[in-house]
Amino acid sequence: MDAALLAATCDAGPGQRVLEPGCGVGGALLAAATRRPEAIFHGVERDAAAATLAAENIALNDLSSRVSISTGDVEAGFRALGLPAFDAVMANPPYFDDPSVLRAPSPAKSGAWMADGGLVAWTAFCLKAVREGGTITLIHRADRLADILDLLAPKAGSFRIRPVAPFVDAPAKRVIVRAIKTGKAPLVLLPPLVMHDREGGKHAARAEAILRGALDLSW
């Protein structure tokens, strides 16, 4: 779900370059590329096996002309990739950075759940990876919102925050944060995206349309 929502937020225009660090096998990357057929996408993944699967997925979906993948580690910083700054960065950082409070489902998945450098490393990477005036979009746990804002604020602003709530009467469990590097506009708290109806637990109509690619999650 998080990957699909992240892809739905991508509003890159023709010829714009979008980076996704920690792209895994390419779920969000390919979905965003499908939604934005005139933009150019690049994914970075530190796990070699996942990066190989991402490359295969790109080829199988006939997207090799404008979607690429490389192996790299957020911990090493953006400059280690040797790439020019991007117009936009989108990311779904690992949700936990303290192994004492959570055990991943399996050792093979620990990298997707645990961030060695935590949000500090991920936000620093994103700030370096995007050009001035470019956008940074993150989806993360709602309880980390203050940390995200604090880490991005020295070099980014014009924040727009979309809470994601499981039900209309329930607290948000996720937030999607959009920031502009060197942006100065006031923070905007957008209406929440409500994922489910109480009747039957199905996706709400708008959420279903977004997840299926029929609607964008606009800013």
Side-chain angles (χ1 to χ4, degrees):
M1 184 191 74
D2 294 343
L5 293 180
L6 183 63
T9 68
C10 182
D11 55 2
Q16 289 193 317
R17 298 169 58 251
V18 182
L19 176 69
E20 186 192 2
C23 68
V25 299
L29 189 71
L30 271 65
T34 301
R35 285 174 173 270
R36 297 291 166 178
E38 296 183 326
I40 299 165
F41 292 82
H42 185 77
V44 176
E45 173 56 45
R46 73 176 184 177
D47 182 85
T52 297
L53 286 173
E56 293 175 358
N57 286 333
I58 291 167
L60 286 170
N61 286 276
D62 296 322
L63 292 170
S64 300
S65 62
R66 58 187 184 87
V67 184
S68 55
I69 188 80
S70 63
T71 303
D73 193 343
V74 167
E75 298 293 313
F78 175 71
R79 290 177 180 172
L81 299 176
L83 298 172
F86 286 76
D87 300 295
V89 178
M90 62 178 200
N92 178 16
Y95 285 148
F96 302 94
D97 48 25
D98 183 357
S100 68
V101 300
L102 180 80
R103 185 175 64 188
S106 69
K109 294 184 178 181
S110 62
W113 286 60
M114 298 288 183
D116 294 339
L119 281 173
V120 173
W122 281 80
T123 52
F125 181 98
C126 292
L127 286 167
K128 288 290 185 182
V130 72
R131 63 168 174 80
E132 291 192 5
T135 61
I136 297 168
T137 306
L138 304 177
I139 184 168
H140 211 275
R141 290 160 37 202
D143 64 328
R144 298 303 301 274
L145 176 59
D147 297 323
I148 292 170
L149 298 179
D150 184 60
L151 290 166
L152 290 175
K155 295 184 179 179
S158 303
F159 291 102
R160 300 181 77 84
I161 301 165
R162 174 85 64 184
V164 181
F167 299 100
V168 68
D169 56 352
K173 291 188 175 181
R174 298 283 186 266
V175 286
I176 308 173
V177 179
R178 165 69 61 93
I180 297 177
K181 188 171 180 178
T182 67
K184 303 296 183 183
L187 182 150
V188 175
L189 183 62
L190 298 166
L193 173 64
V194 178
M195 296 303 300
H196 302 284
D197 294 323
R198 285 292 184 188
E199 296 77 16
K202 296 181 178 179
H203 286 125
R206 181 165 177 254
E208 181 76 10
I210 290 169
L211 292 173
R212 291 189 176 276
L215 287 178
D216 293 330
L217 192 51
S218 62
W219 296 103

